[in-house]
Amino acid sequence: MEQRHLGRSGLRVSRMGLGTMTWGGDTDAETAAAQLAAFTEAGGTLVDTADVYTGGESEQVLGELLDDLVPRDDVVLATKAVARRHDGPFGGGASRGALLRALEGSLTRLDTDHVDLWQLHAWDDQVPLEETLSAVDAAVRSGKVRYAGISNYCGWQTATAATRQAIVPGAAPLVSTQVEYSLLERSVEREVVPAAAHHGIGLLPWAPLGRGVLTGKYRTSTPPDSRGASAQYAPYVDQHRTDRAARIVQAVATAAEGLGTSPLVVALAWVRDRPGVVAPIVGARDVAQLKGSLAAEEIVLPPAIRAALDDVSGLEFGYPEASR
């Protein structure tokens, strides 16, 4: 698998990341192990989790697999903090105390002395940004974090945080931002993508398959074993089950038929090669589904197909974005 630099840093990661949001929940330890083995055998290195995924079980399962199944040094280990884990003064949020406490918990569950990429999971407007970022700097200086990133920041938040890190002597630069980005969700192109490009921050798209809708499996019905049929995840999927989405899914299906591949591969290849994108984060129900995503490594979309998909899914840009 091709390796790419994460932003303007020396860190190289595979151009596809393995998401673990359901590990320890819908995805049991045996299936997680099979996924991790298949991913690393294909040359994948970036594995992404968070302290709140399945109440910490995702990190726990991943930590038990590292070294036992895959050498720790063969994996770029990424996790996140900020989201609320439990009640109490240090149970969530972006205060210095809460963040450093969250990092210690992640290291324990992951059974490691450092994470390669530590990401702020969300902006916290209840905490001064300087305090939040001072915790990131302390974590990097301690050696427990190698690189720092953000997630779900809007454009001005991305630029503000990156600027602070650039002007404060000794501050850790932000090398990545993880945001929802797919043919069905291109809003980040208005402000986040240009802000990230200006500050040398690499994009890590989550939900690159439009929460599963771009695979085409919801075109005529809701498969009983899909997230769309789950009481927990149905509202999450339904956000992208619109008339506009149906037109885009049809275009993806047509392109896939012409290329002799799957809609999943077409949708993933499209976002993977967007400007600024380093590695889409892909989750899977099982190994077969993951291997379907890994097949995108063999595909480069022809310019005509890429242009058609750009056109059917394009945003309307107004002032001031259109004046750039």
Side-chain angles (χ1 to χ4, degrees):
M1 190 179 299
E2 180 183 322
Q3 307 292 304
R4 293 172 168 176
H5 283 278
L6 191 55
R8 279 201 295 262
S9 79
L11 180 62
R12 296 173 69 245
V13 301
S14 53
R15 66 173 180 173
M16 185 185 301
L18 178 61
T20 65
M21 186 175 70
T22 62
W23 286 21
D26 291 346
T27 304
D28 61 28
E30 183 178 353
T31 303
Q35 288 186 17
L36 183 61
F39 179 69
T40 54
E41 286 169 8
T45 60
L46 177 61
V47 182
D48 180 74
T49 185
D51 59 352
V52 293
Y53 288 170
T54 57
E57 288 299 313
S58 172
E59 288 183 327
Q60 187 74 38
V61 169
L62 179 54
E64 291 170 358
L65 293 176
L66 293 177
D67 280 335
D68 287 345
L69 179 67
V70 176
R72 170 65 180 87
D73 288 344
D74 288 353
V75 169
V76 177
L77 183 57
T79 193
K80 312 178 194 73
V82 171
R84 177 61 57 179
R85 304 181 310 282
H86 57 76
D87 294 334
F90 304 115
S95 71
R96 182 183 178 95
L99 284 173
L100 295 179
R101 185 74 62 87
L103 176 60
E104 293 299 333
S106 289
L107 293 175
T108 297
R109 288 185 293 274
L110 290 166
D111 193 24
T112 186
D113 62 357
H114 74 280
V115 293
D116 300 299
L117 177 64
W118 195 41
Q119 303 155 100
L120 298 172
H121 211 158
W123 179 273
D124 186 347
D125 58 11
Q126 301 299 307
V127 178
L129 180 63
E130 293 76 14
E131 177 180 343
T132 296
L133 294 175
S134 75
V136 172
D137 295 337
V140 173
R141 285 195 300 271
S142 73
K144 295 176 180 179
V145 168
R146 299 295 197 252
Y147 294 88
I150 53 179
S151 180
N152 301 311
Y153 277 35
C154 69
W156 73 262
Q157 293 166 347
T158 299
T160 302
T163 298
R164 188 269 183 189
Q165 295 306 88
I167 65 176
V168 173
L174 299 178
V175 302
S176 67
T177 182
Q178 194 171 145
V179 290
E180 183 171 7
Y181 192 12
S182 73
L183 277 161
L184 299 185
E185 180 52 85
R186 297 179 60 180
S187 299
V188 291
E189 292 178 2
R190 291 192 170 95
E191 294 293 346
V192 174
V193 171
H198 180 77
H199 290 282
I201 296 173
L203 299 171
L204 300 175
W206 60 264
L209 299 174
R211 310 186 183 194
V213 174
L214 286 166
T215 65
K217 62 185 174 185
Y218 298 111
R219 291 176 71 187
T220 58
S221 63
T222 300
D225 61 345
S226 69
R227 287 185 181 178
S230 160
Q232 179 181 1
Y233 290 111
Y236 170 83
V237 174
D238 287 347
Q239 289 185 36
H240 287 328
R241 298 180 74 174
T242 64
D243 291 342
R244 172 181 175 271
R247 292 192 295 272
I248 296 170
V249 170
Q250 179 58 54
V252 170
T254 300
E257 185 177 359
L259 292 172
T261 189
S262 69
L264 181 156
V265 165
V266 170
L268 192 54
W270 179 89
V271 72
R272 180 199 65 205
D273 295 331
R274 294 295 292 170
V277 168
V278 177
I281 307 297
V282 176
R285 183 178 62 252
D286 52 34
V287 174
Q289 194 175 72
L290 175 60
K291 288 183 176 180
S293 295
L294 293 172
E297 184 66 15
E298 308 301 322
I299 292 289
V300 176
L301 297 181
I305 287 180
R306 178 168 289 279
L309 294 175
D310 289 350
D311 183 62
V312 74
S313 65
L315 298 173
E316 289 189 10
F317 283 82
Y319 177 84
E321 296 93 353
S323 63
R324 284 199 294 264

